[in-house]
């Protein structure tokens, strides 16, 4: 388990998708070494060897029976062993004994470290596919072996994997917290306010703007909580806790379809435990329990 704890805070956040068990060694190998581990990617999932203890790694990579038509991406070293991601073609049978499982569905079935690597593999394959051609001149890009990037051999543009910063904030008012529903959520589920940071904004400005836009409230005393690389598809979630300052709830009926104040003993269905949104709510609940 990988924990991130603010100074003086005994209640940690487990950043499930933080890749801490791979070390990046640059320059990366010019060719894939023998004995490398592979994560075989298909869409938003990976091909696992199913069983009592599912396994995301393949000790032999793509072969004539499992050809690769898409990118191959160096992920890093797992101990002394290099690890790669490759995309499986959609129109061929899976390797024997393997099934495709979405990254979210892997949570709780395999160690968090492997969930993070599976998500990272999916993310890097998607990034490679999105940067195959230069956005400035259209030339096919080539890998940069000395860092995680692609370079245009014609105009020299260097493209790095996209990271989209987003704020996520728990708002408290006395012994209540604000929870809201997005139209994308499963039936009944509520969560905290979140949104992407816009160009020219600070993180704090983004908190104020998103809260005002989505639920019409003014907040104060914004405090950093923790962060989480959220690979759906490329967010970095930066978590905060804030206090209600003024205003009445006015939902935007776009990002939010309902919102309300909830006490600790009357919470609605919540996000999955793997999420930073759930970590924010759990932290607030547990902090309240510590006072009693």
């Amino acid at each position: 388990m990988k924990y991130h704890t603010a100074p003086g805070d005994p209640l940690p956040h487990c950043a499930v998708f933080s890749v801490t068990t791979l070390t990046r060694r640059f320059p990366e190998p010019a060719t894939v070494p023998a004995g490398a581990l592979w994560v075989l990617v298909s869409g938003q999932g990976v091909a696992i060897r199913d069983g009592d203890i599912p396994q995301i790694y393949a000790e032999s990579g793509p072969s004539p029976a499992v050809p690769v038509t898409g990118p191959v991406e160096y992920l890093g070293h797992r101990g002394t062993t290099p690890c790669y991601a490759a995309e499986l073609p959609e129109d061929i049978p899976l390797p024997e004994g393997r099934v495709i499982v979405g990254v979210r569905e892997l949570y709780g079935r395999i160690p968090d470290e492997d969930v993070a690597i599976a998500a990272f593999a999916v993310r890097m394959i998607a990034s490679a596919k999105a940067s195959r051609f230069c956005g400035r001149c259209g030339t096919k890009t080539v890998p940069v072996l000395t860092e995680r990037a692609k370079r245009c051999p014609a105009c020299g543009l260097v493209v790095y994997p996209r990271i989209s910063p987003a704020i996520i904030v728990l708002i408290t008012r006395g012994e209540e917290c604000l929870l809201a529903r997005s139209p994308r959520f499963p039936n009944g589920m509520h969560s905290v306010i979140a949104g992407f940071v816009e160009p020219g904004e600070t993180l704090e400005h983004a908190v104020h703007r998103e809260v005002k836009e989505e639920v019409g409230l003014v907040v104060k005393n914004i405090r950093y909580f923790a962060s989480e690389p959220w690979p759906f598809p490329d967010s970095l979630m930066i978590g905060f806790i804030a206090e209600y300052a003024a205003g009445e709830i006015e939902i935007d009926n776009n990002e939010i379809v309902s919102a309300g104040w909830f006490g600790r003993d009357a919470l609605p269905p919540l996000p999955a435990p793997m999420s930073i949104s759930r970590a924010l709510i759990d932290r607030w609940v547990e902090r309240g329990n510590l006072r009693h």
Side-chain angles (χ1 to χ4, degrees):
M1 303 285 277
K2 305 173 291 297
Y3 292 112
H4 302 264
T5 307
D9 189 345
L11 299 170
H13 164 50
C14 178
V16 172
F17 296 109
S18 176
V19 183
T20 58
T21 54
L22 288 181
T23 57
R24 283 74 159 180
R25 300 181 185 177
F26 294 107
E28 67 179 79
T31 58
V32 179
L37 292 176
W38 292 84
V39 181
L40 304 177
V41 173
S42 178
Q44 293 299 304
V46 297
I48 68 165
R49 187 171 67 242
D50 213 357
D52 293 338
I53 304 176
Q55 175 63 258
I56 68 167
Y57 304 103
E59 294 182 356
S60 60
S63 66
V66 187
V68 167
T69 56
V72 170
E73 287 292 303
Y74 167 70
L75 300 178
H77 277 65
R78 191 170 182 259
T80 60
T81 305
C83 190
Y84 289 81
E87 185 179 38
L88 291 172
E90 295 181 357
D91 55 351
I92 66 166
L94 289 174
E96 185 177 355
R98 291 192 173 264
V99 296
I100 300 297
V101 177
V103 169
R104 293 175 189 262
E105 287 70 46
L106 288 172
Y107 178 72
R109 297 184 63 190
I110 62 176
D112 285 357
E113 291 82 0
D114 288 349
V115 174
I117 291 172
F120 186 54
V122 170
R123 185 171 184 174
M124 288 301 98
I125 291 294
S127 176
K129 292 170 68 176
S131 58
R132 287 180 297 176
F133 298 94
C134 176
R136 186 157 63 191
C137 73
T139 301
K140 188 173 182 179
T141 58
V142 297
V144 178
L145 298 182
T146 55
E147 59 181 337
R148 199 175 298 285
K150 298 289 189 293
R151 180 180 62 83
C152 175
C155 71
L157 179 69
V158 178
V159 181
Y160 297 92
R162 177 176 175 175
I163 299 175
S164 304
I167 61 88
I168 184 164
V169 56
L170 175 83
I171 305 166
T172 66
R173 186 182 69 174
E175 296 301 308
E176 298 175 311
C177 76
L178 182 94
L179 298 175
R181 268 191 54 74
S182 164
R184 300 182 299 274
F185 288 173
N187 187 39
M189 195 187 90
H190 286 62
S191 188
V192 295
I193 300 298
F196 288 105
V197 180
E198 295 185 352
E201 283 188 323
T202 65
L203 297 175
E204 295 83 359
H205 183 183
V207 170
H208 284 292
R209 176 184 53 77
E210 285 288 344
V211 172
K212 185 65 175 176
E213 287 179 356
E214 294 190 358
V215 291
L217 301 179
V218 178
V219 294
K220 62 182 180 180
N221 296 336
I222 299 171
R223 304 179 303 284
Y224 174 75
F225 171 68
S227 62
E228 172 83 85
W230 190 249
F232 304 109
D234 50 32
S235 299
L236 174 63
M237 306 298 294
I238 303 105
F240 295 92
I241 299 171
E243 296 175 13
Y244 166 82
E248 298 295 330
I249 295 174
E250 296 181 13
I251 59 171
D252 67 356
N253 279 313
N254 180 21
E255 293 293 327
I256 300 298
V257 293
S258 66
W261 297 101
F262 295 86
R264 292 179 176 86
D265 58 351
L267 294 173
L270 300 174
M274 68 179 176
S275 63
I276 189 171
S277 54
R278 179 61 176 270
L280 279 159
I281 298 166
D282 286 350
R283 185 260 194 193
W284 172 73
V285 170
E286 292 172 23
R287 270 295 180 88
N289 291 341
L290 288 176
R291 294 198 295 267
H292 298 294

